[in-house]
Amino acid sequence: MHLKESNGFIGLYTERPYKKGELLFELRGPIKADATSTSIQISKAKHIEDAYTQYINHHCTPSAKIVGRKVMAQHDLKPNDEITFDKNIMADELQKPFVCKCCGKLLRGKKYPAT
Ligand SMILES: [Zn+2]
């Protein structure tokens, strides 16, 4: 994995090809009960924050999915593909609501319908 800037946004990118379902890496940070603006919610009242979580960008058709600590390829990936996940279906309530770059909707977490 490596970080790269694209259009003013830093994102996380692959180094090599991955097959669908393959483990990309594991999140290693502490699990906390409360969300922060850069944590990822992995289950009810469990939020992980580590060196990478703030750089895994949202996409509505993401390249990866996060199950527990595992970040896995959602489909086959090429080297230098951005690793993205669906923040909106992971989080009950986003600490930092944002307008999605792919669909233009305001996303606030799964408690709220996207508008
Ligand atoms: Zn979108």
Side-chain angles (χ1 to χ4, degrees), residues 58-61 88 98-107 114-115:
H58 168 84
H59 203 286
C60 287
T61 48
N88 205 49
F98 64 96
V99 175
C100 179
K101 283 189 283 178
C102 39
C103 62
K105 288 181 175 169
L106 175 63
L107 302 180
T115 51

Side-chain angles (χ1 to χ4, degrees), residues 17-86:
Y18 287 89
K19 289 285 179 201
K20 179 181 178 178
E22 197 177 343
L23 180 69
L24 300 173
F25 67 100
E26 290 198 41
L27 299 168
R28 300 187 187 284
I31 294 174
K32 295 178 180 165
D34 296 306
T36 71
S37 61
T38 52
S39 64
I40 292 175
Q41 183 171 356
I42 55 167
S43 68
K44 194 160 178 62
K46 285 192 179 172
H47 304 265
I48 287 193
E49 179 151 38
D50 80 356
Y52 288 122
T53 49
Q54 64 178 309
Y55 299 118
I56 310 174
N57 292 316
H58 168 84
H59 203 286
C60 287
T61 48
S63 63
K65 64 178 173 186
I66 299 176
V67 180
R69 290 181 173 275
K70 292 180 162 53
V71 182
M72 294 180 294
Q74 179 83 314
H75 50 73
D76 290 358
L77 298 176
K78 301 186 297 293
N80 236 6
D81 275 351
E82 187 175 2
I83 297 167
T84 56
F85 77 113
D86 190 335

